Amino acid sequence: MAITGTGAIEREQSILFVQINGIWDPIGDDNESLERTRNNTVTQTKNVLGTTKSKVTKGNQVTSVSPYLVNRDSALGKELYEIDRLDKQLDELKYRFMEVSIFDQVGDEKFAAWTQEAKIDLKSWGGAAADGVTAPFDIVWEGERTYGVYDRSANTFTSDDGIGALTVVSTAGTTATSTVLFVSPQLETGNHYVYKGGTSAQTVTEGQDVSSWTNLSPGSAVTVTGSPAIITVVEADAANKAVKAGSVTAVYGS
């Protein structure tokens, strides 16, 4: 994967998506400018020989989406409404985003991409009468990136290890060791979900045997241990071979 050709890269060839209910939706309809600020820290020291050395430390990256006009038929707009209406906080604000480089083509309608979890920091709700309802927000990036390929015709992301991505949401169960998991997109015909907990996400590759994992019925409470516990969910085929995978930090009940 690399930049090819000559000349400037058009801005519309770098696209930011958010995953809502398992569907990748592009962001930017209302924006003339949309950029991810890296916020690195640069320090310099000078040694006794008179040589200056620089150190660049990775900062907390943030993407500001402003303005954002709330449309009735927008999945993201509906999510922002729920964030404001229910006064959501902490991991309730976590979503998966994807950055796609259309200028880095790796196949027919396939492009280099990466996904990463981030939290939505809703800055305000309302706005001026002339604009309609606005909901500007920041995307506060966290965790590690997953690199792979975006298929524009299918609107899907496949990681470099060849396995498709699942979005897993954890909500509080009824006890201090239980959680309820919701998974998207929906299962393909003949497949089923399994899960495993641990102190970190499980590494899963396409075709991996997951017959020893525990079966999962989304929407039902499961018991996990550890604080925090990271639960990895796999969509497996009839032969218990991994097809898709995703992880989430468990949210316990009380």
Side-chain angles (χ1 to χ4, degrees), residues 36 38-42 55-61 116 141-145 147:
R36 176 168 35 84
R38 297 182 61 85
N39 295 317
N40 294 332
T41 299
V42 180
K55 179 181 179 181
V56 179
T57 304
K58 180 182 177 181
N60 298 320
Q61 299 187 14
Q116 186 176 357
W141 300 91
E142 61 181 34
E144 300 297 323
R145 293 179 181 178
Y147 295 91

PDB file of all heavy atoms in Angstrom, residues 36 38-42 55-61 116 141-145 147:
ATOM      1  N   ARG A  36      -7.642  15.870  11.374  1.00  0.00           N
ATOM      2  CA  ARG A  36      -7.276  15.205  12.619  1.00  0.00           C
ATOM      3  C   ARG A  36      -6.025  15.890  13.165  1.00  0.00           C
ATOM      4  O   ARG A  36      -4.956  15.849  12.570  1.00  0.00           O
ATOM      5  CB  ARG A  36      -7.042  13.722  12.359  1.00  0.00           C
ATOM      6  CG  ARG A  36      -6.562  12.926  13.550  1.00  0.00           C
ATOM      7  CD  ARG A  36      -6.639  11.404  13.273  1.00  0.00           C
ATOM      8  NE  ARG A  36      -6.337  11.072  11.899  1.00  0.00           N
ATOM      9  CZ  ARG A  36      -5.109  10.911  11.429  1.00  0.00           C
ATOM     10  NH1 ARG A  36      -4.068  11.069  12.223  1.00  0.00           N
ATOM     11  NH2 ARG A  36      -4.906  10.595  10.161  1.00  0.00           N
ATOM     12  N   ARG A  38      -2.924  16.138  15.546  1.00  0.00           N
ATOM     13  CA  ARG A  38      -2.089  15.117  16.172  1.00  0.00           C
ATOM     14  C   ARG A  38      -1.646  15.496  17.591  1.00  0.00           C
ATOM     15  O   ARG A  38      -1.414  14.629  18.430  1.00  0.00           O
ATOM     16  CB  ARG A  38      -0.876  14.833  15.298  1.00  0.00           C
ATOM     17  CG  ARG A  38      -1.281  14.246  13.927  1.00  0.00           C
ATOM     18  CD  ARG A  38      -0.052  13.925  13.091  1.00  0.00           C
ATOM     19  NE  ARG A  38       0.804  12.935  13.725  1.00  0.00           N
ATOM     20  CZ  ARG A  38       0.636  11.618  13.628  1.00  0.00           C
ATOM     21  NH1 ARG A  38      -0.373  11.131  12.915  1.00  0.00           N
ATOM     22  NH2 ARG A  38       1.460  10.777  14.235  1.00  0.00           N
ATOM     23  N   ASN A  39      -1.495  16.800  17.866  1.00  0.00           N
ATOM     24  CA  ASN A  39      -1.182  17.277  19.215  1.00  0.00           C
ATOM     25  C   ASN A  39       0.072  16.638  19.810  1.00  0.00           C
ATOM     26  O   ASN A  39       0.124  16.302  21.011  1.00  0.00           O
ATOM     27  CB  ASN A  39      -2.369  17.039  20.165  1.00  0.00           C
ATOM     28  CG  ASN A  39      -3.588  17.848  19.767  1.00  0.00           C
ATOM     29  OD1 ASN A  39      -3.486  19.010  19.428  1.00  0.00           O
ATOM     30  ND2 ASN A  39      -4.755  17.215  19.791  1.00  0.00           N
ATOM     31  N   ASN A  40       1.118  16.464  18.996  1.00  0.00           N
ATOM     32  CA  ASN A  40       2.368  15.908  19.491  1.00  0.00           C
ATOM     33  C   ASN A  40       3.099  16.903  20.391  1.00  0.00           C
ATOM     34  O   ASN A  40       2.938  18.124  20.263  1.00  0.00           O
ATOM     35  CB  ASN A  40       3.289  15.524  18.334  1.00  0.00           C
ATOM     36  CG  ASN A  40       2.723  14.393  17.501  1.00  0.00           C
ATOM     37  OD1 ASN A  40       1.971  13.576  18.005  1.00  0.00           O
ATOM     38  ND2 ASN A  40       3.083  14.339  16.234  1.00  0.00           N
ATOM     39  N   THR A  41       3.916  16.395  21.300  1.00  0.00           N
ATOM     40  CA  THR A  41       4.760  17.220  22.156  1.00  0.00           C
ATOM     41  C   THR A  41       6.206  17.100  21.674  1.00  0.00           C
ATOM     42  O   THR A  41       6.727  15.985  21.537  1.00  0.00           O
ATOM     43  CB  THR A  41       4.670  16.775  23.621  1.00  0.00           C
ATOM     44  OG1 THR A  41       3.327  16.913  24.072  1.00  0.00           O
ATOM     45  CG2 THR A  41       5.590  17.607  24.498  1.00  0.00           C
ATOM     46  N   VAL A  42       6.837  18.245  21.409  1.00  0.00           N
ATOM     47  CA  VAL A  42       8.213  18.262  20.928  1.00  0.00           C
ATOM     48  C   VAL A  42       9.101  18.856  22.010  1.00  0.00           C
ATOM     49  O   VAL A  42       8.849  19.958  22.509  1.00  0.00           O
ATOM     50  CB  VAL A  42       8.348  19.081  19.627  1.00  0.00           C
ATOM     51  CG1 VAL A  42       9.796  19.090  19.155  1.00  0.00           C
ATOM     52  CG2 VAL A  42       7.438  18.508  18.544  1.00  0.00           C
ATOM     53  N   LYS A  55      12.923  15.331  20.443  1.00  0.00           N
ATOM     54  CA  LYS A  55      12.100  14.168  20.754  1.00  0.00           C
ATOM     55  C   LYS A  55      10.642  14.523  20.508  1.00  0.00           C
ATOM     56  O   LYS A  55      10.149  15.521  21.035  1.00  0.00           O
ATOM     57  CB  LYS A  55      12.294  13.740  22.209  1.00  0.00           C
ATOM     58  CG  LYS A  55      11.441  12.543  22.627  1.00  0.00           C
ATOM     59  CD  LYS A  55      11.666  12.191  24.079  1.00  0.00           C
ATOM     60  CE  LYS A  55      10.806  11.016  24.518  1.00  0.00           C
ATOM     61  NZ  LYS A  55      11.018  10.681  25.949  1.00  0.00           N
ATOM     62  N   VAL A  56       9.977  13.727  19.678  1.00  0.00           N
ATOM     63  CA  VAL A  56       8.567  13.940  19.380  1.00  0.00           C
ATOM     64  C   VAL A  56       7.751  12.847  20.064  1.00  0.00           C
ATOM     65  O   VAL A  56       7.934  11.664  19.778  1.00  0.00           O
ATOM     66  CB  VAL A  56       8.298  13.932  17.858  1.00  0.00           C
ATOM     67  CG1 VAL A  56       6.813  14.138  17.590  1.00  0.00           C
ATOM     68  CG2 VAL A  56       9.129  15.004  17.161  1.00  0.00           C
ATOM     69  N   THR A  57       6.880  13.255  20.979  1.00  0.00           N
ATOM     70  CA  THR A  57       6.048  12.315  21.717  1.00  0.00           C
ATOM     71  C   THR A  57       4.616  12.393  21.207  1.00  0.00           C
ATOM     72  O   THR A  57       4.048  13.473  21.082  1.00  0.00           O
ATOM     73  CB  THR A  57       6.072  12.633  23.224  1.00  0.00           C
ATOM     74  OG1 THR A  57       7.429  12.632  23.687  1.00  0.00           O
ATOM     75  CG2 THR A  57       5.276  11.600  24.004  1.00  0.00           C
ATOM     76  N   LYS A  58       4.060  11.224  20.910  1.00  0.00           N
ATOM     77  CA  LYS A  58       2.702  11.157  20.385  1.00  0.00           C
ATOM     78  C   LYS A  58       1.699  11.787  21.336  1.00  0.00           C
ATOM     79  O   LYS A  58       1.717  11.541  22.538  1.00  0.00           O
ATOM     80  CB  LYS A  58       2.327   9.697  20.118  1.00  0.00           C
ATOM     81  CG  LYS A  58       0.923   9.492  19.567  1.00  0.00           C
ATOM     82  CD  LYS A  58       0.638   8.007  19.377  1.00  0.00           C
ATOM     83  CE  LYS A  58      -0.785   7.764  18.908  1.00  0.00           C
ATOM     84  NZ  LYS A  58      -1.071   6.310  18.745  1.00  0.00           N
ATOM     85  N   GLY A  59       0.825  12.627  20.789  1.00  0.00           N
ATOM     86  CA  GLY A  59      -0.190  13.291  21.591  1.00  0.00           C
ATOM     87  C   GLY A  59      -1.559  12.652  21.450  1.00  0.00           C
ATOM     88  O   GLY A  59      -1.732  11.643  20.758  1.00  0.00           O
ATOM     89  N   ASN A  60      -2.533  13.232  22.118  1.00  0.00           N
ATOM     90  CA  ASN A  60      -3.923  12.767  22.024  1.00  0.00           C
ATOM     91  C   ASN A  60      -4.567  13.381  20.789  1.00  0.00           C
ATOM     92  O   ASN A  60      -4.793  14.592  20.735  1.00  0.00           O
ATOM     93  CB  ASN A  60      -4.695  13.167  23.285  1.00  0.00           C
ATOM     94  CG  ASN A  60      -4.130  12.528  24.541  1.00  0.00           C
ATOM     95  OD1 ASN A  60      -3.738  11.366  24.526  1.00  0.00           O
ATOM     96  ND2 ASN A  60      -4.086  13.287  25.620  1.00  0.00           N
ATOM     97  N   GLN A  61      -4.860  12.556  19.809  1.00  0.00           N
ATOM     98  CA  GLN A  61      -5.381  13.059  18.542  1.00  0.00           C
ATOM     99  C   GLN A  61      -6.881  13.338  18.628  1.00  0.00           C
ATOM    100  O   GLN A  61      -7.633  12.585  19.249  1.00  0.00           O
ATOM    101  CB  GLN A  61      -5.082  12.064  17.426  1.00  0.00           C
ATOM    102  CG  GLN A  61      -3.588  11.837  17.222  1.00  0.00           C
ATOM    103  CD  GLN A  61      -3.272  10.978  16.018  1.00  0.00           C
ATOM    104  OE1 GLN A  61      -4.123  10.737  15.165  1.00  0.00           O
ATOM    105  NE2 GLN A  61      -2.040  10.513  15.930  1.00  0.00           N
ATOM    106  N   GLN A 116     -10.309   2.622  14.121  1.00  0.00           N
ATOM    107  CA  GLN A 116      -9.871   2.887  15.489  1.00  0.00           C
ATOM    108  C   GLN A 116     -11.072   3.314  16.318  1.00  0.00           C
ATOM    109  O   GLN A 116     -11.988   3.971  15.808  1.00  0.00           O
ATOM    110  CB  GLN A 116      -8.810   3.991  15.509  1.00  0.00           C
ATOM    111  CG  GLN A 116      -8.172   4.243  16.863  1.00  0.00           C
ATOM    112  CD  GLN A 116      -7.061   5.280  16.782  1.00  0.00           C
ATOM    113  OE1 GLN A 116      -6.721   5.784  15.709  1.00  0.00           O
ATOM    114  NE2 GLN A 116      -6.481   5.603  17.918  1.00  0.00           N
ATOM    115  N   TRP A 141      -9.724  10.311  19.716  1.00  0.00           N
ATOM    116  CA  TRP A 141      -9.202   8.998  19.335  1.00  0.00           C
ATOM    117  C   TRP A 141      -8.535   8.304  20.514  1.00  0.00           C
ATOM    118  O   TRP A 141      -7.856   8.938  21.322  1.00  0.00           O
ATOM    119  CB  TRP A 141      -8.206   9.146  18.191  1.00  0.00           C
ATOM    120  CG  TRP A 141      -8.810   9.763  16.964  1.00  0.00           C
ATOM    121  CD1 TRP A 141      -8.843  11.091  16.648  1.00  0.00           C
ATOM    122  CD2 TRP A 141      -9.481   9.086  15.907  1.00  0.00           C
ATOM    123  NE1 TRP A 141      -9.491  11.281  15.453  1.00  0.00           N
ATOM    124  CE2 TRP A 141      -9.893  10.072  14.972  1.00  0.00           C
ATOM    125  CE3 TRP A 141      -9.772   7.749  15.648  1.00  0.00           C
ATOM    126  CZ2 TRP A 141     -10.577   9.750  13.803  1.00  0.00           C
ATOM    127  CZ3 TRP A 141     -10.450   7.430  14.482  1.00  0.00           C
ATOM    128  CH2 TRP A 141     -10.849   8.425  13.581  1.00  0.00           C
ATOM    129  N   GLU A 142      -8.701   6.973  20.596  1.00  0.00           N
ATOM    130  CA  GLU A 142      -8.047   6.205  21.648  1.00  0.00           C
ATOM    131  C   GLU A 142      -7.840   4.767  21.186  1.00  0.00           C
ATOM    132  O   GLU A 142      -8.477   4.297  20.244  1.00  0.00           O
ATOM    133  CB  GLU A 142      -8.872   6.228  22.937  1.00  0.00           C
ATOM    134  CG  GLU A 142     -10.260   5.635  22.812  1.00  0.00           C
ATOM    135  CD  GLU A 142     -11.038   5.720  24.116  1.00  0.00           C
ATOM    136  OE1 GLU A 142     -10.863   6.702  24.853  1.00  0.00           O
ATOM    137  OE2 GLU A 142     -11.806   4.791  24.404  1.00  0.00           O
ATOM    138  N   GLY A 143      -6.922   4.077  21.864  1.00  0.00           N
ATOM    139  CA  GLY A 143      -6.651   2.693  21.512  1.00  0.00           C
ATOM    140  C   GLY A 143      -5.757   2.572  20.295  1.00  0.00           C
ATOM    141  O   GLY A 143      -5.176   3.540  19.806  1.00  0.00           O
ATOM    142  N   GLU A 144      -5.640   1.351  19.790  1.00  0.00           N
ATOM    143  CA  GLU A 144      -4.759   1.045  18.669  1.00  0.00           C
ATOM    144  C   GLU A 144      -5.541   0.990  17.352  1.00  0.00           C
ATOM    145  O   GLU A 144      -6.719   0.643  17.338  1.00  0.00           O
ATOM    146  CB  GLU A 144      -4.047  -0.291  18.895  1.00  0.00           C
ATOM    147  CG  GLU A 144      -3.190  -0.322  20.151  1.00  0.00           C
ATOM    148  CD  GLU A 144      -2.052   0.678  20.102  1.00  0.00           C
ATOM    149  OE1 GLU A 144      -1.477   0.878  19.015  1.00  0.00           O
ATOM    150  OE2 GLU A 144      -1.728   1.264  21.161  1.00  0.00           O
ATOM    151  N   ARG A 145      -4.846   1.300  16.278  1.00  0.00           N
ATOM    152  CA  ARG A 145      -5.456   1.204  14.952  1.00  0.00           C
ATOM    153  C   ARG A 145      -5.432  -0.234  14.446  1.00  0.00           C
ATOM    154  O   ARG A 145      -4.524  -0.999  14.754  1.00  0.00           O
ATOM    155  CB  ARG A 145      -4.710   2.094  13.959  1.00  0.00           C
ATOM    156  CG  ARG A 145      -4.832   3.573  14.225  1.00  0.00           C
ATOM    157  CD  ARG A 145      -4.043   4.370  13.192  1.00  0.00           C
ATOM    158  NE  ARG A 145      -4.132   5.805  13.452  1.00  0.00           N
ATOM    159  CZ  ARG A 145      -3.516   6.738  12.739  1.00  0.00           C
ATOM    160  NH1 ARG A 145      -2.752   6.374  11.715  1.00  0.00           N
ATOM    161  NH2 ARG A 145      -3.651   8.017  13.051  1.00  0.00           N
ATOM    162  N   TYR A 147      -5.341  -1.994  10.789  1.00  0.00           N
ATOM    163  CA  TYR A 147      -5.098  -1.667   9.386  1.00  0.00           C
ATOM    164  C   TYR A 147      -5.709  -2.727   8.483  1.00  0.00           C
ATOM    165  O   TYR A 147      -5.759  -3.914   8.828  1.00  0.00           O
ATOM    166  CB  TYR A 147      -3.598  -1.545   9.127  1.00  0.00           C
ATOM    167  CG  TYR A 147      -2.960  -0.392   9.869  1.00  0.00           C
ATOM    168  CD1 TYR A 147      -2.418  -0.572  11.131  1.00  0.00           C
ATOM    169  CD2 TYR A 147      -2.934   0.874   9.313  1.00  0.00           C
ATOM    170  CE1 TYR A 147      -1.859   0.486  11.824  1.00  0.00           C
ATOM    171  CE2 TYR A 147      -2.373   1.944   9.991  1.00  0.00           C
ATOM    172  CZ  TYR A 147      -1.840   1.740  11.246  1.00  0.00           C
ATOM    173  OH  TYR A 147      -1.297   2.800  11.933  1.00  0.00           O
TER     174      TYR A 147
END
